[in-house]
Amino acid sequence: MKKHFYLVINGNAGGGTGRKTAVKIIKQLQTANIDYTTFYTDHAGHEIEIAQNLAENTLIPWSEELDTDLFPLLVVLGGDGTLHSILNALQAFDPKIPIGYIPCGSGNDFARGVGIARQAENAFLQLLKADAPQEIQVITYDESIQDESGLAVNNIGIGLDGAIVQAANTSTSKHALNKFNMGSLSYIFSILKVLFTQKGFPILVEMNGKNLEFDRAFLCTITNHPYFGGGVSIAPIANPRKPVMDFVLVERINIFKILWLIILLIQKKQMDSKYFHHYQSSKFRIVSTLPQYVHADGEILGKRSTDISFGTEVRLFWF
């Protein structure tokens, strides 16, 4: 079956990597004589408008029994934030509409987690070779205080995780580092900045019919694949193809113990620390009464008190 590629391109992703990648991909499409249409985003939220318009007028759900000679495939060229926005834009439409993804961001954790090549040309070859989409579990979240819901492809963080993302997204060094493909360093700088200022806070966690209370939570992350923060393996056994989420909580401890925990994290031995807690479940609820930064896939939801319930849903990704 032939495909018509509908490319949604965030040229600013990765400090301009999206634009450079698009030039290469379009050249390969032309060389291979593959039908394509391009849509470049030119303002915040434009990718949402494009995706919704395509879903209403062009895209169709995938089925093994499709009777068409030319399948319209949405392909996202951008970072995890762009993918997050488009996934949520399609939430109101048929969940069997597949998404292709060529990573162009500074973190690209989704690509790492599901097995998409992070080198753009190789990711493009995966798209070409695939005969059908793959089923990937994404995180669903419902926040009752703000009456807000959505989907996440990577993780949702409360506390240190959210504060790091806030600091990284507002960092003056991120744009400069992205130009040299070193955007992940902005997370490291942000960690060092926030590490000394983030305080412990109380949370309640509901899962598997049990309630757990923590008085000095520091970092709280719900994830469905191993990575966050541009390649940090926070939950090594997480699997995006299973309807199970991993919850990681780190307690607020003194700076020397934190530094030791970071060393364990680099060595993927964080499970050895008594201050590192890891749980798996198909459903979670987290209640935090003290306002903390909250993010979903690196997109800040705000600094707020939260009451969030989490689950999973299947979405189709073409790679």
Side-chain angles (χ1 to χ4, degrees):
M1 179 191 301
K2 291 186 177 181
K3 295 182 284 292
H4 184 118
F5 284 15
Y6 290 87
L7 309 178
V8 180
I9 302 162
N10 179 357
N12 294 324
T17 300
R19 189 173 296 104
K20 296 174 184 176
T21 299
V23 172
K24 297 177 183 177
I25 299 304
I26 290 170
K27 185 176 181 179
Q28 293 190 43
L29 286 167
Q30 292 171 341
T31 300
N33 198 28
I34 296 173
D35 294 329
Y36 71 93
T37 304
T38 58
F39 300 89
Y40 286 85
T41 63
D42 59 19
H43 59 267
H46 193 196
E47 69 277 9
I48 296 173
E49 301 168 23
I50 296 169
Q52 289 177 338
N53 183 60
L54 285 171
E56 289 172 356
N57 301 296
T58 306
L59 304 177
I60 59 176
W62 169 257
S63 169
E64 296 288 351
E65 291 77 36
L66 270 176
D67 184 18
T68 180
D69 295 326
L70 192 64
F71 184 75
L73 179 61
L74 171 65
V75 180
V76 180
L77 280 77
D80 289 337
T82 308
L83 183 61
H84 171 89
S85 294
I86 288 179
L87 180 70
N88 281 276
L90 297 179
Q91 190 175 8
F93 300 92
D94 195 310
K96 291 188 177 180
I97 293 176
I99 301 175
Y101 179 52
I102 297 177
C104 308
S106 56
N108 299 324
D109 284 325
F110 179 74
R112 283 186 180 87
V114 302
I116 296 174
R118 285 178 286 132
Q119 205 278 336
E121 286 86 347
N122 291 338
F124 177 68
L125 288 176
Q126 282 182 280
L127 277 177
L128 293 184
K129 291 179 180 178
D131 296 321
Q134 298 189 35
E135 293 187 347
I136 298 295
Q137 298 284 340
V138 300
I139 300 170
T140 66
Y141 65 91
D142 291 282
E143 207 289 310
S144 62
I145 297 176
Q146 300 289 332
D147 191 22
E148 184 176 53
S149 62
L151 304 173
V153 293
N154 290 332
N155 38 62
I156 298 171
I158 303 169
L160 180 70
D161 191 4
I164 289 171
V165 170
Q166 169 70 8
N169 286 351
T170 56
S171 170
T172 55
S173 65
K174 184 177 182 179
H175 181 71
L177 289 168
N178 279 340
K179 291 182 178 179
F180 300 97
N181 295 317
M182 295 189 296
S184 295
L185 286 178
S186 65
Y187 288 97
I188 296 175
F189 295 152
S190 298
I191 289 171
L192 295 176
K193 176 181 177 181
V194 174
L195 207 53
F196 297 94
T197 57
Q198 175 67 33
K199 297 180 180 180
F201 57 96
I203 68 163
L204 168 70
V205 182
E206 292 183 4
M207 62 173 183
N208 299 326
K210 299 185 297 184
N211 290 346
L212 299 176
E213 294 185 18
F214 296 89
D215 295 328
R216 291 174 55 79
F218 187 50
L219 177 150
C220 305
T221 297
I222 291 282
T223 183
N224 67 335
H225 68 67
Y227 303 103
F228 88 142
V232 178
S233 184
I234 189 72
I237 65 174
N239 188 332
R241 289 170 175 80
K242 294 182 178 180
V244 174
M245 295 167 289
D246 289 57
F247 172 60
V248 170
L249 182 140
V250 177
E251 295 182 58
R252 186 65 170 102
I253 47 182
N254 68 54
I255 191 62
F256 299 106
K257 291 180 180 178
I258 289 174
L259 293 175
W260 175 243
L261 185 54
I262 292 173
I263 293 172
L264 292 177
L265 186 62
I266 293 171
Q267 298 174 341
K268 297 183 180 181
K269 295 181 179 179
Q270 60 266 34
M271 302 288 187
D272 295 342
S273 172
K274 65 180 181 179
Y275 304 108
F276 184 97
H277 305 275
H278 172 257
Y279 307 93
Q280 287 188 318
S281 179
S282 60
K283 293 184 182 300
F284 284 95
R285 178 184 174 219
I286 298 177
V287 179
S288 170
T289 54
L290 291 181
Q292 301 293 324
Y293 279 114
V294 182
H295 83 92
D297 294 338
E299 300 297 306
I300 289 294
L301 302 181
K303 187 174 185 180
R304 57 171 71 166
S305 300
T306 54
D307 184 345
I308 313 181
S309 297
F310 302 91
T312 62
E313 287 183 5
V314 171
R315 287 296 185 273
L316 301 182
F317 291 88
W318 201 293
F319 63 96

